[in-house]
């Protein structure tokens, strides 16, 4: 995961550098051309640049080791900063773009001086955004290949919120630039600013939708999302197959970070084992669980009181009610 984090940091830095350069060019071109669509795209780039800073902070802070106040580590920092990025897209990008479009419709101006500069700026921006998007897509493809599933599933279920946010931002940026270019071109061809104003509103609506999707995902992780059902089923099958375990009475999981899962399992023991044998078996089972599934960062195996009383010979030095 350390190598994956390094790759994610490079991807975010590439996106940040592209967005800072594009933001300055869009803002200058928007002021010169007086284009609401271009100014909307400048706001979009401001939001993206701020979000990249959030994502860089999330990658660094989430890797801090566990301590007394945070015994399960800081993995959920990734989800918190991703939520802030979603809020940034909504406020700075989406709301400002809709406002610019509505103001253009109310103004009704038909001037389009300097639009040649504006279109040139957008073309350069499109190339830069496409380059940043290509890098993010390549990283997603590698992650999907490593996980053994398709790219679409990796985009939907990807564990790295920083990479997912960059991918969403860059993809939205490319679509937004195309909408702005279309609006400016129609404005030039017809002399009607309504086309450009509508493009600005569409950009805002697109950003609001992307912010909603990213925020919803971050919220799900923050309130405690279960691990993948496939992982849960595999762990359940492994525990059921152990001779010392008669049945699994409960199996709960929660994702603590992009690569960390908490597992708590309630188990019923097979009759006839003494406490020392059971303890050795539980150590073996816990070790094997972490070896097979390295993402199981915290593993708790609990023997129910009824099972302990019925199946395990009590020992004053070796309590057997929980493992």
């Amino acid at each position: 995961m350390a190598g994956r984090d390094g790759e994610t940091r490079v991807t975010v830095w590439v996106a940040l550098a592209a967005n800072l350069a594009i933001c300055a060019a869009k803002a200058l071109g928007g002021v010169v051309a007086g284009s609401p669509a271009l100014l909307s795209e400048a706001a979009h780039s401001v939001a993206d640049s701020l979000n990249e800073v959030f994502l860089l902070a999330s990658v660094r802070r989430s890797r801090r080791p566990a301590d007394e106040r945070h015994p399960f580590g800081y993995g959920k920092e990734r989800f918190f900063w991703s939520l802030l990025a979603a809020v940034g897209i909504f406020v700075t990008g989406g709301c400002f773009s809709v406002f610019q479009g509505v103001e253009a419709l109310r103004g009704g101006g038909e001037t389009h001086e300097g639009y040649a500069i504006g279109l040139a700026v957008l073309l350069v921006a499109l190339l830069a955004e496409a380059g940043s998007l290509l890098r993010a897509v390549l990283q997603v493809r590698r992650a999907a290949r490593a996980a053994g599933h398709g790219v679409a599933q990796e985009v939907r279920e990807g564990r790295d919120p920083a990479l997912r946010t960059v991918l969403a931002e860059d993809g939205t940026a490319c679509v937004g630039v195309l909408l702005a270019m279309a609006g400016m071109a129609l404005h030039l061809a017809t002399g009607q600013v309504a086309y450009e104003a509508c493009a600005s509103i569409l950009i805002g609506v697109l950003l609001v939708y992307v912010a909603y999707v990213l925020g919803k995902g971050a919220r799900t992780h923050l309130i405690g999302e279960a691990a993948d059902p496939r992982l849960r089923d595999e762990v359940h099958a492994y525990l059921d197959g152990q001779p010392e375990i008669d049945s699994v009475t409960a199996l709960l999981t929660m994702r603590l970070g992009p690569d960390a899962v908490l597992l708590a399992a309630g188990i019923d023991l097979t009759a006839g084992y003494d406490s020392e044998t059971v303890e050795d078996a539980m150590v073996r089972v816990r070790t094997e669980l972490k070896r097979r599934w390295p993402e199981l960062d915290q593993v708790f195996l609990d023997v129910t009181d009824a099972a302990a009383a019925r199946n395990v010979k009590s020992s004053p030095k070796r309590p057997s009610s929980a493992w």
Side-chain angles (χ1 to χ4, degrees):
M1 190 63 187
R4 204 184 317 165
D5 278 354
E7 189 176 10
T8 298
R9 275 193 292 267
V10 172
T11 299
V12 176
W13 274 112
V14 169
L16 177 59
N19 277 320
L20 288 174
I22 293 168
C23 177
K26 286 177 180 177
L28 180 61
V31 171
V32 171
S35 166
L38 197 50
L39 289 174
S40 296
E41 275 300 297
H44 182 180
S45 294
V46 169
D48 286 353
S49 300
L50 182 62
N51 293 339
E52 258 87 62
V53 175
F54 288 158
L55 297 178
L56 287 171
S58 77
V59 174
R60 181 179 63 85
R61 293 178 63 85
S62 66
R63 284 298 157 195
R64 289 180 294 170
D67 53 34
E68 187 176 349
R69 293 191 63 185
H70 299 87
F72 296 114
Y74 291 82
K76 289 194 176 185
E77 286 260 18
R78 291 281 185 103
F79 311 132
F80 169 74
W81 291 99
S82 296
L83 180 62
L84 288 187
V87 173
I89 293 174
F90 178 83
V91 176
T92 310
C95 294
F96 181 79
S97 295
V98 172
F99 172 78
Q100 280 290 112
V102 172
E103 284 294 301
L105 283 175
R106 291 175 60 188
E110 295 187 359
T111 179
H112 43 70
E113 297 177 2
Y115 267 35
I117 296 176
L119 286 170
V121 168
L122 285 177
L123 181 59
V124 173
L126 179 61
L127 295 175
E129 295 285 10
S132 179
L133 176 62
L134 178 61
R135 174 172 177 85
V137 169
L138 290 176
Q139 185 176 345
V140 169
R141 288 185 62 184
R142 286 191 290 270
R145 194 180 304 116
H149 53 233
V151 174
Q153 184 176 351
E154 179 65 24
V155 172
R156 290 193 306 270
E157 304 174 3
R159 299 173 186 171
D160 190 345
L163 177 59
R164 188 182 182 191
T165 301
V166 170
L167 184 67
E169 286 180 350
D170 289 344
T172 305
C174 289
V175 175
V177 169
L178 291 174
L179 286 172
M181 291 178 72
M184 292 178 69
L186 289 171
H187 186 183
L188 278 171
T190 64
Q192 298 294 322
V193 74
Y195 291 105
E196 196 173 350
C198 289
S200 181
I201 293 173
L202 286 175
I203 292 170
V205 171
L206 178 63
L207 290 173
V208 168
Y209 173 74
V210 170
Y212 167 75
V213 173
L214 293 176
K216 182 180 179 182
R219 170 185 172 274
T220 299
H221 288 303
L222 283 172
I223 63 178
E225 183 185 38
D228 300 334
R230 183 175 62 178
L231 171 65
R232 184 185 182 281
D233 292 342
E234 290 174 353
V235 170
H236 197 290
Y238 169 76
L239 292 175
D240 270 337
Q242 302 310 301
E244 298 87 358
I245 298 175
D246 182 61
S247 64
V248 179
T249 58
L251 200 153
L252 306 176
T253 62
M254 183 173 68
R255 191 161 293 284
L256 301 175
D259 63 334
V261 172
L262 180 148
L263 168 68
I267 57 176
D268 211 357
L269 296 176
T270 303
Y273 291 100
D274 60 28
S275 60
E276 186 172 354
T277 300
V278 170
E279 182 175 355
D280 292 341
M282 294 301 101
V283 171
R284 172 180 56 78
V285 168
R286 186 184 294 108
T287 303
E288 184 64 15
L289 282 170
K290 291 191 173 186
R291 188 191 69 81
R292 293 192 181 194
W293 298 278
E295 61 192 299
L296 294 178
D297 183 63
Q298 302 286 339
V299 176
F300 299 94
L301 302 176
D302 180 69
V303 179
T304 62
D305 290 340
R310 185 178 66 252
N311 298 329
V312 181
K313 298 176 182 178
S314 60
S315 170
K317 295 183 179 181
R318 296 180 182 272
S320 56
S321 60
W323 305 92

